Amino acid sequence: RASHDSPIPYMLKTTAFVTTFLTVAGGSWYVAVDLTSPSDLTAIYNCSAFFAYAFSIPLLNDKLRFDKMFSVAIAIAGVLTVVYGDTGEKKGSVHPGPAVKSRALGNIVIGIGSVLYGLYEVLYKKYACPPEGTSPGRGMMFAMTFGSLIGCFTLSVLWIPLPILHFAGLERFVMPTGKVAWVLLISVLANATFSGSFLVLISLTSPVLSSVAALLTVFLVAIVDWALPGGESLSAAAIGGGLLIVAAFLLLSWSTYREMNEERRKRLEDEAIASDSDIE
């Protein structure tokens, strides 16, 4: 682009493009939550780490590395262990599961959402992150700016279906009050913190590492549920699966660190060769 071109049109188009994938992926979770079981919902949606790596290869020219594949596989195995590992202890539950047809449809919906969420992470890295060599401080500021643009797009565009659904009687919306309002406020603040940190991590590292890092929340949810009054105790499956996720995150962090060091060293060597040729 020429130096005099305004970046605003590009930022607006990129925001709309990337946010569309995020919105469809996030919306699939709310559609599928009434169709399938919570275990299937959590397990399938968190497979987005695999799809993030799959899309990174053609779109970001990422290399197919065994250590990355192994780390992602361990992380997904950890999620499956946490979600399904203690189902035998809960067979006495009085809550009936969803019908088979409904569950299959819900799994398909959340599967599509998982694919799109992995694609959203890679598209954000490709089109909405500053180029390599940008300082970490500027990268963080740019990520927070783009996150704010996502929020502005959501606030200005995605409210449009709400009154249509409300007056058509398909979905009633009411203003939250009392305890519900406070819980929603806490949820919004927590999600804003997570989303901002997530975008920053993608900008500074890679979609694959960020996606596996997000899987740590599966283990953290189990810990918080155990710590709260009246919560469920930590099962062996939750502890074992959580340790697998932590191990996968540490392995992938080390792999990403080595890869970034290799790229930095290669870039410095290329710059040194270029400077030597200019002197000659």
Side-chain angles (χ1 to χ4, degrees):
R1 290 177 179 273
S3 58
H4 298 291
D5 288 348
S6 172
I8 294 178
Y10 176 81
M11 291 297 295
L12 293 178
K13 288 188 291 185
T14 303
T15 300
F17 176 64
V18 174
T19 307
T20 299
F21 285 92
L22 173 61
T23 302
V24 176
S28 69
W29 192 93
Y30 292 97
V31 173
V33 71
D34 289 331
L35 298 175
T36 188
S37 67
S39 299
D40 288 0
L41 189 74
T42 304
I44 296 174
Y45 195 69
N46 282 296
C47 286
S48 60
F50 167 77
F51 296 110
Y53 188 36
F55 286 119
S56 292
I57 296 173
L59 294 178
L60 300 178
N61 297 319
D62 206 351
K63 296 177 182 178
L64 188 63
R65 299 171 61 113
F66 173 77
D67 50 0
K68 280 190 174 183
M69 292 178 58
F70 184 63
S71 300
V72 172
I74 290 179
I76 294 176
V79 173
L80 296 177
T81 302
V82 173
V83 173
Y84 294 113
D86 58 352
T87 51
E89 301 173 12
K90 300 178 181 179
K91 287 183 178 177
S93 174
V94 297
H95 300 288
V100 174
K101 290 184 179 179
S102 170
R103 185 169 180 174
L105 176 61
N107 288 347
I108 292 173
V109 171
I110 198 61
I112 294 172
S114 179
V115 174
L116 291 178
Y117 196 79
L119 180 58
Y120 147 73
E121 295 174 75
V122 176
L123 291 175
Y124 166 72
K125 179 67 175 181
K126 183 176 179 65
Y127 296 111
C129 286
E132 294 292 333
T134 305
S135 66
R138 290 186 176 183
M140 291 176 60
M141 291 301 296
F142 194 88
M144 298 305 293
T145 300
F146 191 79
S148 300
L149 290 176
I150 291 177
C152 291
F153 180 85
T154 303
L155 188 63
S156 59
V157 176
L158 298 182
W159 66 269
I160 296 175
L162 300 185
I164 298 175
L165 293 172
H166 180 79
F167 290 112
L170 298 175
E171 185 70 40
R172 293 289 180 179
F173 294 92
V174 294
M175 289 297 294
T177 57
K179 184 179 179 180
V180 174
W182 282 107
V183 171
L184 284 176
L185 177 61
I186 295 172
S187 175
V188 168
L189 293 176
N191 189 57
T193 303
F194 170 80
S195 299
S197 304
F198 188 67
L199 294 178
V200 169
L201 187 58
I202 293 178
S203 179
L204 297 180
T205 57
S206 71
V208 183
L209 177 62
S210 305
S211 193
V212 171
L215 297 184
L216 293 170
T217 58
V218 176
F219 187 34
L220 291 175
V221 166
I223 293 176
V224 171
D225 188 31
W226 164 73
L228 290 176
E232 295 186 6
S233 59
L234 282 174
S235 64
I239 296 174
L243 292 177
L244 283 175
I245 297 172
V246 172
F249 174 69
L250 294 176
L251 285 172
L252 192 56
S253 297
W254 173 244
S255 173
T256 303
Y257 173 76
R258 286 193 308 160
E259 188 176 15
M260 292 176 70
N261 265 351
E262 291 172 4
E263 293 175 354
R264 187 181 300 110
R265 186 167 56 251
K266 184 179 179 182
R267 186 168 60 250
L268 291 175
E269 290 175 355
D270 292 342
E271 291 174 357
I273 294 172
S275 63
D276 289 343
S277 62
D278 290 341
I279 293 173
E280 295 175 0

